[in-house]
Amino acid sequence: MGLLSMFSADLAIDLGTANTLIYVRGKGIVLNEPSIVAFNRDTKKIVSIGNEAREMVGKTHNEIRTIRPLRDGVIADFEIAEGMLRAFIKKINANWLPGRRIVICVPSGITEVEKRAVRDSAEHAGAREVHLIAEPMAAAIGVGLDVEAPVGNMIIDVGGGTTEIAVITLSGIANEESIRFAGDEMNNAIIQYLKRNHNMLVGERTAEDIKCKIGSAMPLEEEQTMAIKGRDLVNGIPKTIDISSVEIREALSEAITTIVNAVRLTLEQTEPELSSDILDRGIMLTGGGALLKGLDERIRLESSIPVHVVEDPLTAVVLGTGKVLEDLSRFSKVLLKGRNY
């Protein structure tokens, strides 16, 4: 049976800075693609989205531009974000009808204006009932924590645009920090390091590749090297250099220290009874940044609290959003309050 014939119109969406994931009620995750759009500069008509658009990054001609319409976890280009969301929905089912329900996760530090932009984008893409949920709450539900119990749970979600840190109890967030230091900032730190120390310019895709392959937050048992290609800033021609994991760790140190300091600040501001629960249960680490080598160990050393990387950190948020979609009456207390959400 094809996806079209068994499609349920209620959706849960992780509209992330780096990736967009869509969960269909009763079916699970049906889409996981980069939040990237290629469009015509003159007409603003979308040429491609997701994986296809990612292949075009840094390789387009003058008529086509590629962008990520979300920055730091929020919508930076409303028109393109709306078009991307509509195109992703059409991709999973061309016959999706308006008037359906959508649950979307957003950063916990989002403003009312930014909430409205997300809601409006979903409505313009065809939804009439839109609910918003904070990312750390969605991640906690996604990894199976009992968010309704009178027990303190701490979760850190390191995404593309933001790092969300929250202490959750009784279906609410007792304490939180949302900082705009995450995967994108790490990529940019690598780009700037190579400029300063090797007179070499690389693109975002190359920086991301370097981070994933040899990036780390702690010294490795066996340090690694990697050959990278870019443009020589002195003579303007392409060149290849070898870079070590030690250098990349140095490049990432400021971003990682900022995240660790935010974790410490959150712990300092947490009630002692909740702190006791966290010490017993540990900290859950989710998001793409959780895959950075040694990040869990670095946080553990700085906080003296056990840190657990969840089984599938990349999908925790959308799975939690999906669980909320499946049982809205049960999880109504975890939704962000406001008009129509």
Side-chain angles (χ1 to χ4, degrees):
M1 184 182 293
L3 183 60
L4 290 178
S5 59
M6 64 179 184
F7 184 75
S8 170
D10 291 347
L11 308 176
I13 301 175
D14 176 5
L15 192 62
T17 304
N19 295 285
T20 294
L21 293 88
I22 298 180
Y23 176 108
V24 174
R25 185 174 186 175
K27 305 298 180 291
I29 300 170
V30 298
L31 183 137
N32 181 356
E33 296 199 24
S35 302
I36 302 176
V37 180
F39 64 95
N40 185 289
R41 289 177 183 269
D42 297 325
T43 65
K44 276 223 163 185
K45 181 180 178 182
I46 292 178
V47 176
S48 65
I49 57 169
N51 290 322
E52 291 181 7
R54 187 178 188 273
E55 294 300 316
M56 299 182 183
V57 173
K59 300 180 181 181
T60 59
H61 51 71
N62 291 337
E63 291 181 9
I64 296 177
R65 184 185 175 200
T66 59
I67 68 165
R68 291 195 295 172
L70 290 97
R71 284 285 172 185
D72 300 327
V74 296
I75 294 174
D77 189 314
F78 180 83
E79 184 180 349
I80 297 297
E82 180 189 320
M84 180 185 75
L85 187 56
R86 189 188 299 272
F88 276 140
I89 292 172
K90 187 176 180 181
K91 191 169 187 177
I92 61 172
N93 189 289
N95 300 318
W96 191 73
L97 299 174
R100 305 304 182 187
R101 178 183 294 146
I102 292 183
V103 182
I104 303 181
C105 61
V106 294
S108 57
I110 195 171
T111 66
E112 290 299 321
V113 172
E114 290 165 343
K115 287 179 191 175
R116 191 170 297 115
V118 174
R119 187 199 67 218
D120 289 349
S121 290
E123 288 177 346
H124 293 161
R128 285 187 187 166
E129 185 180 338
V130 180
H131 300 277
L132 303 185
I133 180 172
E135 282 179 13
M137 181 65 77
I141 295 169
V143 301
L145 297 180
D146 185 357
V147 300
E148 298 161 294
V151 176
N153 290 293
M154 187 169 185
I155 192 149
I156 305 171
D157 181 65
V158 187
T162 62
T163 294
E164 308 285 322
I165 307 161
V167 177
I168 294 168
T169 182
L170 292 169
S171 298
I173 296 177
N175 194 17
E176 65 184 335
E177 284 289 326
S178 179
I179 59 171
R180 297 188 176 185
F181 272 79
D184 287 350
E185 193 65 32
M186 293 181 194
N187 294 344
N188 186 56
I190 291 172
I191 292 171
Q192 298 305 320
Y193 180 89
L194 292 172
K195 275 185 183 178
R196 289 193 311 269
N197 295 277
H198 293 279
N199 291 318
M200 185 184 211
L201 183 64
V202 299
E204 283 188 26
R205 282 187 63 183
T206 299
E208 172 83 14
D209 195 38
I210 294 169
K211 178 184 71 179
C212 293
K213 289 183 177 176
I214 64 170
S216 65
M218 293 287 291
L220 303 175
E221 286 186 14
E222 188 175 331
E223 299 294 350
Q224 303 169 354
T225 59
M226 178 180 175
I228 59 171
K229 300 172 184 176
R231 192 177 79 223
D232 192 315
L233 289 171
V234 177
N235 56 32
I237 62 173
K239 73 173 182 179
T240 301
I241 64 168
D242 288 330
I243 196 84
S244 73
S245 53
V246 175
E247 289 182 275
I248 298 306
R249 187 162 56 251
E250 180 185 340
L252 297 175
S253 62
E254 183 180 351
I256 291 168
T257 298
T258 302
I259 292 171
V260 170
N261 287 342
V263 173
R264 291 170 64 94
L265 180 62
T266 305
L267 288 167
E268 288 169 8
Q269 296 174 344
T270 299
E271 292 292 332
E273 293 295 339
L274 295 175
S275 296
S276 176
D277 291 338
I278 294 167
L279 187 60
D280 290 339
R281 302 162 75 88
I283 298 170
M284 307 303 287
L285 189 58
T286 72
L291 299 173
L292 182 72
K293 300 178 189 70
L295 181 59
D296 55 335
E297 184 185 352
R298 174 73 183 274
I299 296 172
R300 179 183 61 78
L301 285 174
E302 296 279 353
S303 66
S304 300
I305 295 174
V307 179
H308 312 289
V309 179
V310 303
E311 187 175 340
D312 192 354
L314 291 167
T315 62
V317 170
V318 75
L319 287 174
T321 310
K323 287 182 181 179
V324 172
L325 175 71
E326 299 278 2
D327 197 349
L328 270 174
S329 58
R330 175 189 171 187
F331 289 111
S332 60
K333 290 182 180 179
V334 308
L335 298 172
L336 297 178
K337 302 298 183 284
R339 186 181 70 81
N340 203 30
Y341 55 85

